[in-house]
Amino acid sequence: MDIMQVEDSLVCTRRVPGLASVSLRVLRSASGSRAVAVDTVGARPGNWVFTISGSAARLAVGKEILTDLSIAGIIDRWEEDSRGESG
Amino acid sequence: MDIMQVEDSLVCTRRVPGLASVSLRVLRSASGSRAVAVDTVGARPGNWVFTISGSAARLAVGKEILTDLSIAGIIDRWEEDSRGESG
Amino acid sequence: MDIMQVEDSLVCTRRVPGLASVSLRVLRSASGSRAVAVDTVGARPGNWVFTISGSAARLAVGKEILTDLSIAGIIDRWEEDSRGESG
Amino acid sequence: MDIMQVEDSLVCTRRVPGLASVSLRVLRSASGSRAVAVDTVGARPGNWVFTISGSAARLAVGKEILTDLSIAGIIDRWEEDSRGESG
Amino acid sequence: MDIMQVEDSLVCTRRVPGLASVSLRVLRSASGSRAVAVDTVGARPGNWVFTISGSAARLAVGKEILTDLSIAGIIDRWEEDSRGESG
């Protein structure tokens, strides 16, 4: 599972049926790369979250939702800066 | 799920049976790496899309299609440049 | 499976149901990148561990736990420094 | 799915039973990293191919073949050089 | 599947039950990163091997073994140096 920060919501009108009605968030890792995750916990921009990938991502938010990345939880306290470089 | 830009179609006459009649797109990530995805939403060159990988990629476009990457949706509005470096 | 060092516990009050009551550890790889894993072996900060990813991660700690990374064991003796650069 | 170039065959006498009688190819990505894939389409050194990974790789070449990477098709025309840097 | 060189055995007394009695090897890729794999073919330090990841890794060595990486075979002849830089 990875640690990422919520950057924004993803607005995407045309989608495959398996993702029709889910909330999508754009996340940013410590190294600056971006990913899109399904959010069922109500994460807000700026929150640090940890994410589940693979088939567990699907099971975590409902088997019928066809995601490969889901927000698993909001981290209570995370100070990226004080931890120095991370990848 | 990842954010990528459609570059081109992939012309490939000789394929395994599980991908015989699907539309394939060459995608390019923000970091410049390329990948091939099945397209069922009608993405065009230049569109920014987000993609599903793994077994969810298969379920999203039809279980009998043997892909590990599918276009999940076309992003309404994406400005890569204004977001600076991303990986 | 990867070799990582336990850095800390992860405090995370709001989680998806599938990870409600498990111990989460923040791990750090030799290259400095971080990941979050479920711990069922009782690893402590400073321990070098090896981790299982994917669906095996789930099976290793109990199929109902929705993780994609689990600590598989504590390495008896690991000297990262004497091995030079690793990624 | 990824785009790679066939470099060579892989000669490997001692194998696990699940890969006993398949053709293995060494592939090279645009960034220079190598991988080994099962080939059922008859790709030759120099061919540019695209590959399927994960469980779809297995389904594409026969469920009993224990691969995580299979050649999915031979690309009709690919000019890596004219596309500049890719990863 | 990836090409790696066997570096050492991994001594690890405390493990999850799903890996209780298997041989574990530390492998090193051409780029210098390390991974841990289950070995059922009897690879020795210095051998170049190719590895299977994901669910196929589990099927290759016995479904009850909870690995995400298994040695698939020992390569008859591999000269990394003569192949130049690889990742």
Side-chain angles (χ1 to χ4, degrees):
Chain A
M1 295 171 287
D2 291 312
I3 295 170
M4 303 191 84
Q5 190 173 25
V6 180
E7 200 176 76
D8 213 344
S9 291
L10 186 74
V11 182
C12 181
T13 313
R14 205 142 115 218
R15 309 180 185 184
V16 291
L19 287 170
S21 55
V22 296
S23 293
L24 298 171
R25 299 277 179 271
V26 180
L27 308 181
R28 190 182 176 108
S29 75
S31 70
S33 66
R34 285 195 185 82
V36 176
V38 168
D39 177 27
T40 59
V41 297
R44 288 191 310 267
N47 282 166
W48 283 92
V49 298
F50 72 105
T51 56
I52 325 177
S53 64
S55 54
R58 217 155 69 225
L59 297 170
V61 295
K63 211 188 289 190
E64 71 289 354
I65 297 178
L66 298 179
T67 181
D68 64 13
L69 193 72
S70 297
I71 295 179
I74 302 173
I75 302 174
D76 287 13
R77 193 188 142 100
W78 187 259
E79 297 172 31
E80 187 58 36
D81 294 338
S82 69
R83 289 173 177 250
E85 282 302 293
S86 83
Chain B
M1 294 172 288
D2 291 311
I3 294 170
M4 302 190 85
Q5 190 173 25
V6 180
E7 200 176 76
D8 213 343
S9 291
L10 186 76
V11 182
C12 181
T13 313
R14 206 143 114 217
R15 309 180 185 184
V16 291
L19 287 170
S21 56
V22 296
S23 293
L24 297 172
R25 299 279 180 270
V26 179
L27 308 181
R28 191 183 176 105
S29 75
S31 70
S33 66
R34 284 194 186 83
V36 175
V38 168
D39 177 27
T40 60
V41 296
R44 289 190 310 267
N47 282 166
W48 283 92
V49 298
F50 73 104
T51 56
I52 325 177
S53 64
S55 54
R58 218 156 67 226
L59 297 170
V61 295
K63 211 187 290 191
E64 69 290 354
I65 297 178
L66 298 180
T67 181
D68 65 13
L69 193 72
S70 297
I71 295 179
I74 302 174
I75 302 174
D76 287 14
R77 193 189 142 101
W78 187 259
E79 297 171 31
E80 187 59 35
D81 294 338
S82 69
R83 289 173 178 250
E85 281 302 291
S86 83
Chain C
M1 296 171 286
D2 291 311
I3 295 170
M4 303 191 84
Q5 190 173 25
V6 180
E7 201 176 74
D8 214 344
S9 291
L10 186 75
V11 182
C12 180
T13 313
R14 203 142 115 218
R15 307 180 186 185
V16 291
L19 286 170
S21 55
V22 296
S23 293
L24 298 172
R25 299 277 179 271
V26 180
L27 307 181
R28 190 182 176 107
S29 75
S31 70
S33 67
R34 286 194 185 83
V36 176
V38 168
D39 177 27
T40 60
V41 296
R44 289 191 309 267
N47 282 166
W48 283 92
V49 298
F50 72 104
T51 56
I52 325 177
S53 64
S55 53
R58 218 155 68 224
L59 297 170
V61 295
K63 209 187 292 192
E64 70 288 354
I65 298 178
L66 298 179
T67 181
D68 65 13
L69 193 72
S70 297
I71 295 179
I74 302 174
I75 302 174
D76 288 12
R77 193 189 143 100
W78 187 260
E79 297 172 30
E80 187 59 34
D81 294 338
S82 69
R83 289 176 177 247
E85 283 301 295
S86 83
Chain D
M1 296 172 287
D2 291 312
I3 294 170
M4 303 190 85
Q5 191 173 25
V6 179
E7 199 176 75
D8 213 344
S9 291
L10 186 75
V11 182
C12 180
T13 314
R14 206 143 114 217
R15 309 179 185 184
V16 292
L19 287 170
S21 55
V22 296
S23 293
L24 298 172
R25 300 278 180 271
V26 180
L27 308 181
R28 190 183 176 107
S29 74
S31 69
S33 66
R34 284 195 186 82
V36 176
V38 168
D39 177 27
T40 59
V41 296
R44 289 190 310 267
N47 283 165
W48 283 93
V49 297
F50 73 105
T51 56
I52 325 177
S53 63
S55 54
R58 217 156 68 226
L59 297 170
V61 295
K63 212 187 287 191
E64 70 289 355
I65 298 178
L66 298 179
T67 181
D68 64 12
L69 193 72
S70 297
I71 295 179
I74 301 174
I75 302 174
D76 287 14
R77 193 191 142 99
W78 187 259
E79 298 171 31
E80 187 60 35
D81 294 338
S82 68
R83 288 174 178 250
E85 282 302 293
S86 84
Chain E
M1 296 172 286
D2 291 312
I3 295 170
M4 303 190 85
Q5 190 173 25
V6 179
E7 200 176 75
D8 213 344
S9 290
L10 186 75
V11 182
C12 180
T13 313
R14 205 143 114 216
R15 307 179 186 185
V16 292
L19 287 170
S21 56
V22 295
S23 293
L24 298 171
R25 300 277 179 271
V26 180
L27 308 181
R28 190 182 176 108
S29 75
S31 69
S33 66
R34 286 195 185 82
V36 175
V38 168
D39 177 27
T40 60
V41 296
R44 290 191 308 268
N47 283 165
W48 283 93
V49 298
F50 73 103
T51 56
I52 325 176
S53 63
S55 54
R58 217 155 69 225
L59 297 170
V61 295
K63 210 187 290 190
E64 70 289 355
I65 297 178
L66 298 179
T67 182
D68 65 12
L69 193 72
S70 297
I71 295 179
I74 301 174
I75 302 174
D76 288 13
R77 192 190 142 100
W78 187 260
E79 297 171 31
E80 187 60 34
D81 294 339
S82 69
R83 289 175 178 249
E85 281 303 293
S86 83

